[in-house]
Amino acid sequence: MMRSDLSGHLTEVQPSPGRQTLIECREVKKRFRYATKGSFLAVDGVSLSIKRGELLAVIGESGSGKTTLAKIMAGLIQPTSGRVFFEGKPITSLDRRERLNFSRKVQYIPQYPDLALDPSWYIYDSIAEPLRIHRMSSSREEELKIVRSVSARFGLSLDQLRRKPRDVSGGELQRAVLARSMALNPEVLIADEPTSMLDPSTQARIVRLILDAQRELGFAVLFVTHDLQLARVISDSVCVMLGGKIIEFGSAQEIFSSPLHPYTSSLFSGSTFAGETKDNAACPFYSQCNLRAEICCNSTPPEFNIGRFRGVRCWNLGQPH
Amino acid sequence: MGSLIEFVDLKVIFHMGGMQVVALRGVDLDLRRGEVLGVLGESGSGKTVLIHAAFRLLPENAKVSGKILYQGKDLLSMDRRRAMRLIGQNFSLIPQGFGALNPFLKSWLQISERPMEHFGVGKEEGHRRAEFLLGTMGINQPSRTANSYRHQLSGGMLQRVLVAMGASGPSQVVFLDEPTKGLDEGMKRLVVSLLKKARERSDAMMVVSHDLGFLEEVSDRICVMYCGDILEVSKVREFFVSPRHPYSSALLNSLPSRGLKPIEGEIPSMVSPPDGCRFSPRCRQRDARCANKRPPMKAVDDVMVRCFKYA
Amino acid sequence: MKSVYSPTKLETAGITAVFAVITMVAISFFPEGWFASTSSPMPYSPPSSTNLLGTNDIGDDVLRVLLMGSRVSLFIGFLGAIVSTVIGTLVGIFAGFMGGIVDEVLGSFTDLFLVVPALPLMIVMAAYLGQSFLNVVLVIGLLWWPTTARLVRARARQIRGSQFVEGLFGIGAGKLYVVIRHVLPNVWGVVLARFVLAVSSSILLEAGLSFIGLGDPQNPSWGMMLHFAMTRGALLHGAWWTFVPPGICISLTSLGFILLGMGMESRYRSRTRSIGEIG
Ligand SMILES: Nc1ncnc2c1ncn2[C@@H]1O[C@H](COP(=O)(O)OP(=O)(O)OP(=O)(O)O)[C@@H](O)[C@H]1O
Ligand SMILES: Nc1ncnc2c1ncn2[C@@H]1O[C@H](COP(=O)(O)OP(=O)(O)OP(=O)(O)O)[C@@H](O)[C@H]1O
Ligand SMILES: [Mg+2]
Ligand SMILES: [Mg+2]
C-alpha cells in the first residue's frame, strides 16, 4: 500500500498481513429497538480489523451506521450479535485488569464534542480525569504538566481549561475532547469526525498531529469522516459504508482512483442523492443504482474479494466469476 | 443598498474571575437586504458570540457595548421583553451545537416550536410540516426521525434537525452557525438548495462555516474573523480568487486539497492576545507597525481589509 | 464562572422571610430578660408594654414561647427536609442510574408512597409512634421523599443516557465513581431546590401534626401553640394574641421557603434550558 506523504512523495507502508491486528470485529450487527414499536438495524454484519500503524478511514452517507460501528469497536455499546476482539481476545471476556487496559489503550473520540464532557466539570478536570482513573500521574504537579503539554499541542491554554464546556467555543471544545483522549497515549484511536468543528488551518494542524503521533508511536486510527478530500490525503485504507454494511473496502489509493461499487463512484462524483430507499431491496443502493438488476433486489450481494485487500459487495462484479 | 442589521463597534468581554476574555474587539459589520453573508475564521474567533449577541443570548458575565441596529432600533439597549419578541418573530437561528436540542422532546416538536409559539401553527400541522421539512432534506424515513429523541439520531440527522429548526418558520433574517458540519456532500448540496429557496422567503442570511466550498457556493460576501477582529470583508468571487489579507490566503492554503498546510505559529489565546494586529505573530508579511497598533479597516477597491499592507 | 446573583422580586420576598425566621431563632438564644419579661404571670393578659404579645393560658409570655417555638419549628423543618431529601436523592439516583429491574422496583415503591395519602398515614404513624419530636421528623422524612425521588430519577436517567457518561465508561470509570463524581454534581440543582421546598413542607406538616395534638408537648412548636390555643380555651377568651402570631409565623416561613425554592428551581431549569428553546 502506498500513502501519499503529505510533503508530496509516496511512502511505502508495510503490507498489512505482517502487522499486528489490534482491534477486529467479526460479523457484528446492531439493532436498536424503539420503546414504542419497531426497531432499526443500524449495523448489518460488518467485519473489520485495524492494524498497528494503520489509518483506516470510514466514509459513507449520513445514517449509514458509521458512529454505531465506531462505538461497537470501542466497546461502548454491545453489538446485538457478532464479536469484537482486542489483541485477539473477545472484549466481552476480558477480566478486570484487561478491561482497564483496553479502556486505556483504546480511545474513542465522540462525534459531538458539546455533549462529550460533563457540563458541571471544569475542562481541566475532564482532561485530567482519564489520568486519574488510570493512575498515570503520581502527583498533582505531574498531572498539571501532562495536561498542560497535551492541551498545548492542541492549541489550548490553561485559562481555557479553567472554564466549563459551555464557556468555550465549539472548536475549542472539540480540541479539548481530542486532548482528553490523547492524554492516555492510546494505541488505538477511534475518531468520529474529530475535526468537524474546526477551521481549515486548525484542522490541518490537528490532523498532522495525529499523523505524526501515529508515525512516532505506531498506533492504529479509525477515522470516520465526511471529508473525502481529507480521507484521500491521510488514509491508508478506506471502507465505504451504506445501510449498515461495508459495501467496499480497499487501500485508499485504489478506492479513490478506481472505485468499483456504483455507490462509491457516485459518492465521489458527488451525485448521490438520498432519496427514498426501497426498504425491502437487498442491496441498500438498489433504488438509485443505474446498473441494478433483478438479483440486486432479491438477494444480498456477498463480498467479492479482488486481490488480497479489496472487497466489494456488488453483483455486477461478482457475476462474471 | 439598505442594510438590515448593522453591528456598530460591538465589543463583547467575558469577565471570569480575574480574567477577561475579549471575544469581540469592536466589530463593524452590516448585513444587507437580500444578501447571504458568509463568515469564516479561526476556531474561537468570536463568530458564535457575534450571532449570540444579536439574539441576546450571551451569558450574564458578558459585558456588551456598541450597537446592533435592526430596522433602525438598537437591539441591545431595548427592553429585554420587547427585544426577545422582536427577535423571536423575525430572526431564526440554526445553532452550532447539538446541546441546543432538548433531550426530552421529540425532534418534530423542536422543529415546529417557533411556528407553534409565534405564528399560531397547530400541533398536527406542526408535526406534518416537520416531517415534510425533514423529507426535503433527504432523510429516508422522515417520520421515524421526526419521532426520535436526540440520542437516537445520527450526527448528520441531528444537523438536519437543526437546519429544519431554522427553516421552519417565516423569518426575515436567518443566522446559521455551521449548518453543514457532519453532512456528506450529497446532503450539503441539499442544504445549499434549501438555502437558496429559503433565501427567497427571507431578507438576509448570515452563514458561519468552516467549509469554504460551501461558503463559496451560497454566499454573496465573505467576512473573515480572527481573534475577535474582522480582518476582511469582500465579495465572494474576489475572496476566493485573490484574498487580500495574509490570514485569508494562509487559510485557503491549509485546505486538504491544497496540501493540508496549517498556518504556522500558535493559535492565539483570547485571554492574552497579541497586541496590535492579532495575526501579526503568525504573519509572514508583518513589519514593525503590526505589533504595536491595530491596523485600521481600509477600503481597497470594494474590499474592506484590516492590514497595514494596504494602509 | 459564577455570575452576579440578582434575585427576582419573589425571591427577594422569600429571602426576606427566611432571614426573618433565622433572626427569630437567633434572638431566642439571647438571655430571657432581653426579649420578654417574666414578671406578670397573669393568664391571658393582652399585649402590653411588658408583654409585647400578651400572655397565654398559663401566664407565659407569648413572644417568648413564639421565639422558642421558632427554634423547634425550624429545627424540625430542616431535619425533616434533610431526611426526606437524602432518601429521595438516594432512591432517585439509584433508580435512574441503574435502570432495569432496580428502577422498576424502586419506581413502583416510590409510586406506592406517592398514591398513599400522606396526611392520614402520617397521623396514624405519629399516633402509633408516640409524641416525640424525633418521631415527627421521621414521619415527615419518610413521607416526603417520593416527589424528590421522582425528580432526581428523571435527571439521573437523562445523565445516564448522556454521551459523556458513555464516554466515561469507555475510559474505564466504574459505576460508583460515575454516580458520585458525575451524577451527583449534576442533580445537585434539583436536590437543593427540592430541599428548600421540603423545609417549607416539613414546617407545615409539623404544624399540622402538632395542631391535632400529635406533636411533642415538651418542646412546643408553633403548631403546638395553635394546639394549646385551641384546646385550652384561648378562642373562647378572645385571646387572639395567642394564636394569630404563630399562625402568621407558620404561613410566612413556609411561604418564604416556597418562594425561594421555586425561584431556585426555575433558575436551575433556565440554566439547563437550551438555546434551541428561545422563542
Ligand atoms: N440509540 C439509538 N436508538 C435508535 N436508533 C439509533 C440509535 N443510535 C443510532 N440509531 C440509528 O442508527 C442509524 C445509524 O446511526 P449512526 O449514528 O451510526 O450513523 P452515522 O453513519 O454515524 O451517520 P452520521 O454521518 O450522520 O453521523 C441512524 O438511522 C440512527 O437513527
Ligand atoms: N461564556 C463564555 N465565557 C468566557 N469566554 C467565552 C464564553 N463563550 C465564548 N468565550 C470565548 O470567546 C471566544 C469566541 O468564542 P466563539 O464561540 O464565538 O468562537 P467561534 O468563532 O464560534 O469558534 P468556533 O469556530 O470554534 O465555534 C472564544 O475564545 C471563547 O473561548
Ligand atoms: Mg455519526
Ligand atoms: Mg462557534
Side-chain angles (χ1 to χ4, degrees):
Chain A
M1 261 180 297
M2 309 285 263
R3 163 153 105 198
S4 64
D5 193 40
L6 294 168
S7 48
H9 8 74
L10 296 168
T11 44
E12 188 73 29
V13 179
Q14 283 289 307
S16 38
R19 284 186 287 163
Q20 181 197 1
T21 297
L22 284 175
I23 276 204
E24 182 177 8
C25 64
R26 287 192 205 138
E27 282 301 313
V28 291
K29 290 191 180 181
K30 179 72 193 179
R31 183 176 285 282
F32 289 109
R33 292 191 193 289
Y34 290 95
T36 43
K37 61 170 193 287
S39 63
F40 185 84
L41 189 61
V43 173
D44 185 6
V46 168
S47 304
L48 186 70
S49 62
I50 321 174
K51 300 182 180 63
R52 196 175 283 284
E54 180 187 34
L55 197 148
L56 171 69
V58 177
I59 57 179
E61 68 177 30
S62 172
S64 55
K66 303 181 296 297
T67 299
T68 313
L69 176 66
K71 281 186 181 169
I72 291 173
M73 300 280 275
L76 294 180
I77 52 181
Q78 298 299 327
T80 317
S81 71
R83 285 203 283 184
V84 182
F85 298 85
F86 176 61
E87 293 177 337
K89 269 188 135 179
I91 56 170
T92 39
S93 60
L94 299 179
D95 64 30
R96 239 186 91 112
R97 230 197 55 241
E98 286 169 328
R99 177 97 213 152
L100 210 62
N101 186 34
F102 172 79
S103 66
R104 186 182 77 70
K105 286 187 176 164
V106 179
Q107 289 296 317
Y108 172 75
I109 300 170
Q111 184 172 10
Y112 346 116
D114 51 335
L115 306 176
L117 300 181
D118 188 333
S120 67
W121 277 40
Y122 288 105
I123 292 174
Y124 175 87
D125 290 310
S126 284
I127 296 181
E129 188 175 24
L131 298 170
R132 292 178 194 159
I133 290 175
H134 292 278
R135 306 221 157 70
M136 301 271 284
S137 56
S138 50
S139 64
R140 283 287 145 131
E141 287 78 52
E142 199 189 331
E143 178 188 291
L144 178 69
K145 229 179 72 197
I146 300 176
V147 173
R148 198 207 297 258
S149 81
V150 70
S151 21
R153 283 200 277 150
F154 288 94
L156 294 169
S157 58
L158 270 185
D159 66 71
Q160 280 157 332
L161 303 185
R162 292 208 188 93
R163 298 186 210 158
K164 306 249 169 101
R166 55 174 21 240
D167 292 338
V168 296
S169 85
E172 286 163 348
L173 193 60
Q174 186 155 51
R175 285 180 274 142
V177 172
L178 278 156
R180 181 184 198 225
S181 45
M182 294 293 270
L184 284 175
N185 291 322
E187 289 185 4
V188 182
L189 201 62
I190 297 180
D192 199 351
E193 298 188 38
T195 55
S196 60
M197 291 223 204
L198 299 174
D199 62 278
S201 159
T202 314
Q203 174 184 10
R205 186 189 161 109
I206 303 291
V207 167
R208 277 179 174 274
L209 207 123
I210 293 176
L211 292 181
D212 288 348
Q214 188 197 18
R215 200 158 300 162
E216 225 169 274
L217 307 167
F219 55 68
V221 183
L222 182 111
F223 200 97
V224 178
T225 184
H226 282 299
D227 191 335
L228 300 176
Q229 288 293 347
L230 185 66
R232 180 200 291 265
V233 178
I234 64 171
S235 56
D236 301 314
S237 35
V238 175
C239 49
V240 185
M241 283 191 82
L242 181 69
K245 296 190 181 76
I246 293 184
I247 51 130
E248 178 162 10
F249 71 87
S251 73
Q253 228 204 349
E254 284 170 347
I255 295 249
F256 283 104
S257 57
S258 58
L260 291 177
H261 198 286
Y263 171 72
T264 318
S265 343
S266 70
L267 187 70
F268 292 165
S269 65
S271 58
T272 53
F273 196 81
E276 287 304 303
T277 5
K278 210 167 148 196
D279 275 338
N280 43 12
C283 173
F285 195 53
Y286 178 76
S287 55
Q288 290 170 59
C289 184
N290 40 24
L291 299 174
R292 66 175 165 240
E294 189 74 22
I295 189 169
C296 304
C297 182
N298 300 328
S299 61
T300 314
E303 192 177 293
F304 296 109
N305 285 318
I306 299 151
R308 214 172 33 193
F309 189 70
R310 186 87 201 261
V312 186
R313 276 179 190 273
C314 177
W315 283 115
N316 284 306
L317 290 142
Q319 265 163 346
H321 302 283
Chain B
M1 49 191 90
S3 60
L4 198 57
I5 297 189
E6 211 173 329
F7 298 89
V8 184
D9 196 28
L10 184 69
K11 287 197 184 83
V12 176
I13 301 175
F14 292 102
H15 289 269
M16 345 193 35
M19 288 188 296
Q20 283 192 350
V21 182
V22 185
L24 292 181
R25 191 198 190 193
V27 162
D28 291 296
L29 185 65
D30 60 335
L31 186 61
R32 296 177 192 158
R33 203 172 279 280
E35 78 164 352
V36 177
L37 176 69
V39 180
L40 54 84
E42 188 86 357
S43 166
S45 57
K47 305 178 292 294
T48 303
V49 168
L50 182 68
I51 291 181
H52 283 192
F55 278 82
R56 298 210 25 184
L57 275 176
L58 292 174
E60 285 170 41
N61 65 335
K63 213 179 119 257
V64 186
S65 66
K67 281 186 195 143
I68 300 178
L69 299 174
Y70 169 63
Q71 297 175 338
K73 285 169 286 197
D74 182 13
L75 289 176
L76 293 178
S77 59
M78 201 184 285
D79 164 58
R80 188 175 173 85
R81 285 249 305 280
R82 242 186 81 214
M84 287 323 262
R85 205 172 55 235
L86 201 65
I87 290 169
Q89 282 172 353
N90 296 303
F91 296 0
S92 65
L93 170 67
I94 297 178
Q96 183 176 21
F98 301 137
L101 291 170
N102 187 327
F104 296 125
L105 296 181
K106 292 192 171 164
S107 57
W108 72 265
L109 209 63
Q110 310 195 49
I111 293 172
S112 298
E113 181 171 338
R114 208 173 76 95
M116 275 157 61
E117 187 165 328
H118 285 286
F119 307 108
V121 169
K123 236 182 158 157
E124 257 158 44
E125 174 69 8
H127 192 158
R128 210 182 50 70
R129 277 200 204 177
E131 271 186 23
F132 175 75
L133 259 176
L134 289 173
T136 59
M137 270 182 291
I139 286 195
N140 276 332
Q141 304 159 344
S143 68
R144 176 172 75 95
T145 309
N147 285 313
S148 295
Y149 296 97
R150 185 173 80 182
H151 70 276
Q152 295 174 325
L153 295 175
S154 83
M157 291 170 164
L158 286 175
Q159 185 55 46
R160 281 174 281 171
V161 170
L162 289 185
V163 173
M165 264 167 69
S168 63
S171 36
Q172 198 173 16
V173 193
V174 189
F175 293 83
L176 304 96
D177 205 346
E178 295 191 30
T180 59
K181 63 174 183 304
L183 294 185
D184 54 58
E185 292 302 321
M187 304 302 155
K188 251 179 226 163
R189 269 202 321 286
L190 281 177
V191 174
V192 170
S193 64
L194 194 85
L195 284 190
K196 293 207 166 129
K197 253 187 261 157
R199 191 176 172 160
E200 281 149 29
R201 279 185 283 126
S202 55
D203 282 349
M205 284 191 225
M206 183 159 153
V207 187
V208 172
S209 182
H210 291 312
D211 185 336
L212 301 187
F214 171 71
L215 281 184
E216 185 171 9
E217 206 162 331
V218 297
S219 42
D220 302 314
R221 286 193 306 155
I222 295 280
C223 156
V224 183
M225 292 188 70
Y226 186 85
C227 225
D229 252 340
I230 289 184
L231 298 187
E232 177 170 351
V233 183
S234 63
K235 292 245 171 60
V236 68
R237 277 289 103 64
E238 294 237 21
F239 178 79
F240 284 99
V241 177
S242 59
R244 300 300 164 110
H245 200 280
Y247 172 68
S248 313
S249 33
L251 192 69
L252 288 177
N253 279 332
S254 58
L255 287 171
S257 52
R258 298 204 196 171
L260 208 63
K261 290 192 285 286
I263 301 173
E264 283 161 29
E266 285 308 302
I267 299 167
S269 150
M270 296 287 272
V271 174
S272 47
D275 288 334
C277 171
R278 297 266 163 103
F279 186 59
S280 60
R282 301 169 81 183
C283 182
R284 292 194 166 186
Q285 304 170 27
R286 63 171 172 260
D287 59 32
R289 286 171 300 176
C290 299
N292 304 320
K293 246 184 80 203
R294 182 185 183 203
M297 202 68 164
K298 251 285 180 325
V300 188
D301 31 272
D302 255 14
V303 180
M304 302 293 290
V305 195
R306 194 185 283 286
C307 180
F308 280 121
K309 237 170 77 183
Y310 303 97
Chain C
M1 269 292 108
K2 260 226 162 67
S3 51
V4 190
Y5 180 71
S6 54
T8 61
K9 276 186 196 128
L10 285 181
E11 282 173 289
T12 318
I15 293 172
T16 317
V18 171
F19 262 107
V21 200
I22 293 175
T23 319
M24 286 177 74
V25 175
I27 295 176
S28 76
F29 283 100
F30 289 174
E32 292 223 335
W34 277 51
F35 52 86
S37 79
T38 42
S39 56
S40 63
M42 275 269 291
Y44 293 134
S45 57
S48 63
S49 56
T50 44
N51 302 100
L52 283 177
L53 288 178
T55 59
N56 63 9
D57 54 304
I58 49 172
D60 268 349
D61 182 76
V62 172
L63 183 60
R64 193 183 71 87
V65 182
L66 194 70
L67 288 171
M68 296 312 240
S70 74
R71 265 197 239 176
V72 180
S73 284
L74 213 62
F75 187 65
I76 293 184
F78 270 96
L79 221 55
I82 289 173
V83 174
S84 72
T85 312
V86 167
I87 298 177
T89 308
L90 287 181
V91 170
I93 283 187
F94 275 95
F97 195 79
M98 296 301 168
I101 189 87
V102 180
D103 186 18
E104 265 169 43
V105 171
L106 287 178
S108 24
F109 193 60
T110 313
D111 287 344
L112 196 75
F113 269 89
L114 266 180
V115 293
V116 166
L119 199 64
L121 183 70
M122 217 172 264
I123 293 167
V124 173
M125 275 178 76
Y128 179 73
L129 288 170
Q131 299 181 322
S132 125
F133 96 110
L134 269 182
N135 287 341
V136 175
V137 169
L138 206 67
V139 169
I140 291 171
L142 283 180
L143 283 175
W144 194 248
W145 62 266
T147 342
T148 310
R150 283 268 287 253
L151 287 170
V152 171
R153 175 185 165 276
R155 184 96 178 99
R157 245 178 91 96
Q158 181 204 351
I159 294 162
R160 167 74 219 230
S162 67
Q163 212 157 57
F164 74 85
V165 170
E166 192 181 70
L168 281 168
F169 290 135
I171 58 167
K175 271 194 173 161
L176 195 65
Y177 170 89
V178 174
V179 167
I180 294 174
R181 303 303 304 275
H182 292 276
V183 182
L184 257 182
N186 281 296
V187 298
W188 203 232
V190 184
V191 171
L192 215 63
R194 287 298 304 169
F195 174 76
V196 174
L197 288 177
V199 172
S200 154
S201 331
S202 307
I203 289 175
L204 272 180
L205 279 175
E206 188 277 337
L209 284 179
S210 299
F211 179 67
I212 54 176
L214 295 170
D216 179 4
Q218 249 69 53
N219 300 297
S221 62
W222 290 333
M224 213 60 193
M225 289 174 75
L226 291 180
H227 173 68
F228 287 144
M230 274 302 277
T231 52
R232 297 184 185 169
L235 279 181
L236 295 180
H237 278 82
W240 53 268
W241 56 90
T242 59
F243 53 85
V244 171
I248 291 177
C249 280
I250 292 170
S251 322
L252 282 186
T253 311
S254 54
L255 189 67
F257 278 104
I258 285 180
L259 290 178
L260 193 62
M262 283 188 344
M264 282 164 78
E265 233 173 18
S266 72
R267 200 168 273 274
Y268 179 74
R269 206 167 302 138
S270 74
R271 206 160 55 75
T272 49
R273 200 177 116 130
S274 50
I275 49 166
E277 291 172 55
I278 53 141

